[in-house]
Amino acid sequence: EAAADVKRSWTGQDESPSASAGPDGQDMIEIQVNKILLNVASYADGGAEQALKGLNAAAEKCAGGFTATVGSDEMRIAKVTTSAAPEGGDEAFAATLGVTTGADSSAPMKVVVVRKGSTLASFSVVNLSSMVTGEDFEVPAAVVDAQVAKLG
C-alpha cells in the first residue's frame, strides 16, 4: 500500500508522412496519438521494491493471459510480454499487454514502472492508432525520461 500517490495523464500526437498514398495519389499523413496514465507513489519499509518484485512475478505467471475486472466490466488480456525497461532509476519493469478487442484480435497496451529509492513511477500507455490496427508502438521515451528525472 502506497504511503502517498499522485495521478496524472498526458496525451500527445505525432504526425509523419505515410508510406502509402491516398486514392488520388496525394501524400497521406500517419497520425499517432498516445495516452499515458501516470501514477507516482511513495512507499515505506521496502514497499517499492516489493511492489516491483510482485509485478515481475505476476508478469511471468500471467504470460498466457488473464481476465481483469475494471469497475463492473471485465477486460481480457490475451498475453503479457516483458520487454526492455527504461534506464534512469534503481530498477525498472516494462511489458506489453495484448488487450482483447474482438473474437480473434488484440491491441497492445504498454506498462512501464521505474523505481527510484522508495518511489515508483508507473506509466500505462495506449496508442489510439494501435488500438484500431493492433500494431505495436513505442512508449514516448521523452515523457518517461522527464518524469524519472524529477524523482531525483
Side-chain angles (χ1 to χ4, degrees):
E1 190 71 31
D5 70 327
V6 63
K7 295 172 178 32
R8 298 285 185 263
S9 66
W10 176 88
T11 303
Q13 178 174 314
D14 295 324
E15 295 181 11
S16 61
S18 174
S20 60
D24 296 325
Q26 75 270 29
D27 290 338
M28 298 291 290
I29 299 294
E30 188 172 287
I31 298 173
Q32 299 292 321
V33 178
N34 291 299
K35 174 77 173 180
I36 298 177
L37 300 177
L38 166 65
N39 185 48
V40 178
S42 176
Y43 293 82
D45 302 323
E49 292 91 340
Q50 285 302 107
L52 207 51
K53 183 178 177 181
L55 186 57
N56 278 295
E60 185 176 318
K61 182 179 178 182
C62 297
F66 61 95
T67 300
T69 302
V70 180
S72 61
D73 299 323
E74 285 192 349
M75 178 173 65
R76 176 76 185 140
I77 305 298
K79 66 179 180 176
V80 177
T81 308
T82 57
S83 55
E87 301 197 6
D90 297 326
E91 61 181 319
F93 168 86
T96 301
L97 306 166
V99 180
T100 301
T101 57
D104 295 325
S105 60
S106 66
M109 180 174 99
K110 308 279 183 158
V111 175
V112 174
V113 181
V114 179
R115 182 183 68 80
K116 184 81 171 189
S118 62
T119 302
L120 291 180
S122 60
F123 307 82
S124 299
V125 187
V126 293
N127 176 286
L128 300 183
S129 298
S130 293
M131 293 303 285
V132 173
T133 65
E135 294 179 14
D136 198 18
F137 67 96
E138 294 296 319
V139 173
V143 175
V144 174
D145 293 345
Q147 183 59 56
V148 171
K150 291 178 182 182
L151 298 180

